[in-house]
Amino acid sequence: MDEPDDRWIAATAAALLAAEYENVPVEPLTRHRPGLQLETAYRIQAATVARHVTAGARVVGHKAGATSKAIQEQAGVHEPDSGVLLDDMVLASGSTVHRSVLMQPRVEAELAFRLGGDLSGPDVAVEEARAAVKEVFLALEVIDTRFTDWEITIADSIADNASCGRVVTGPMVPLDADMDLAAEPVVVSVNGTAVATGEGRAVLGDPLLVLVWLAGRLHSFGDGLRAGQLVLAGAVHASLPLEAGSTVRAQSLHLPPVELRVR
């Protein structure tokens, strides 16, 4: 298949934006382009993000996705992906989201970071990654797809900004020297009933390794992680359906809980 040109990438980005604004999904890209390259998918993502920024949104961080075996098996993928966090996607703990503004939402609990220093390059050491972290927190990511169903490939997800819909941030606390994020247990409850559990090591063995991976991936595109940015490390459990009338809460041993209400 011929390599898609810039016009096709621009048109695809516009179609994804229209699907989001009109709340009407479109067919997965790989139905018509089964050989869609990941690099091309990231170009579509960048074009979509650029349009959001032109419209007034601000980039505040990045998300890594499919970093755990649970999510990879659920989604049928074998490697992580990443997306961009915009300021209008981020909500504080306790916020309410209306189900009607979402298409096919699911929710994931994640460990997340706020960076105090820049982090970039192809060979970042885990010690560098830890030193770049200012604060750590629990987050609930609402994943959503602008495609007709969740029968998508990793290329589809990447083009669709790694299926990121909303991000709910819990209170942020300093990353203490003795805090073992790999061993941090996370429990997710819906309407007071525990429905999923996971530990930090579910994501690449250690959430800090997600920063290493993401710094390397961004470097390959001439970019990097910046001080002040938020970074989601990926779900520690398989994603859960998100229904109206539910309250989702994630809590762990050493981090403050985070909560989302859906109406």
Side-chain angles (χ1 to χ4, degrees):
M1 180 177 293
D2 293 335
E3 182 67 20
D5 62 20
D6 290 345
R7 289 173 300 174
W8 182 81
I9 288 171
T12 302
L16 286 171
L17 281 177
E20 180 180 348
Y21 292 145
E22 297 167 10
N23 217 18
V24 178
V26 295
E27 267 203 305
L29 304 180
T30 54
R31 298 266 173 92
H32 303 285
R33 288 184 178 267
L36 184 65
Q37 298 295 305
L38 300 193
E39 182 179 349
T40 302
Y42 277 117
R43 289 174 63 195
I44 296 167
Q45 179 190 120
T48 305
V49 169
R51 283 163 169 76
H52 278 293
V53 170
T54 298
R58 183 169 54 88
V59 174
V60 295
H62 299 268
K63 65 151 286 187
T67 51
S68 70
K69 281 188 169 55
I71 290 294
Q72 289 182 0
E73 290 172 0
Q74 186 178 38
V77 302
H78 307 289
E79 61 184 294
D81 64 4
S82 72
V84 177
L85 304 182
L86 301 170
D87 59 339
D88 56 5
M89 298 162 59
V90 180
L91 306 169
S93 181
S95 294
T96 297
V97 169
H98 291 275
R99 173 64 180 80
S100 60
V101 303
L102 302 166
M103 294 189 193
Q104 300 158 78
R106 302 181 69 84
V107 66
E108 304 172 344
E110 312 188 12
L111 295 168
F113 306 99
R114 189 165 77 89
L115 300 181
D118 293 352
L119 197 63
S120 62
D123 299 304
V124 171
V126 68
E127 295 81 9
E128 291 179 76
R130 190 178 188 101
V133 174
K134 182 171 185 178
E135 294 169 310
V136 62
F137 59 99
L138 290 177
L140 290 170
E141 182 185 359
V142 177
I143 60 169
D144 202 359
T145 180
R146 268 62 78 174
F147 297 118
T148 47
D149 53 49
W150 280 106
E151 297 298 319
I152 57 175
T153 70
I154 190 170
D156 294 310
S157 176
I158 289 169
D160 195 21
N161 198 24
S163 303
C164 190
R166 301 288 189 278
V167 176
V168 186
T169 59
M172 302 178 189
V173 299
L175 177 57
D176 293 336
D178 60 350
M179 189 180 290
D180 183 0
L181 294 178
E184 188 70 9
V186 181
V187 178
V188 187
S189 62
V190 177
N191 295 334
T193 300
V195 294
T197 60
E199 290 185 333
R201 62 172 51 90
V203 292
L204 299 188
D206 185 333
L208 291 170
L209 291 176
V210 175
L211 294 176
V212 172
W213 175 82
L214 190 53
R217 200 207 70 74
L218 292 173
H219 176 77
S220 69
F221 286 83
D223 199 0
L225 297 170
R226 306 297 174 211
Q229 288 186 335
L230 308 179
V231 178
L232 303 189
V236 299
H237 61 94
S239 67
L240 304 163
L242 191 64
E243 304 295 347
S246 59
T247 297
V248 183
R249 180 182 176 89
Q251 58 192 68
S252 74
L253 198 58
H254 299 102
L255 301 174
V258 59
E259 189 171 281
L260 168 67
R261 301 181 181 93
V262 188
R263 297 293 179 257

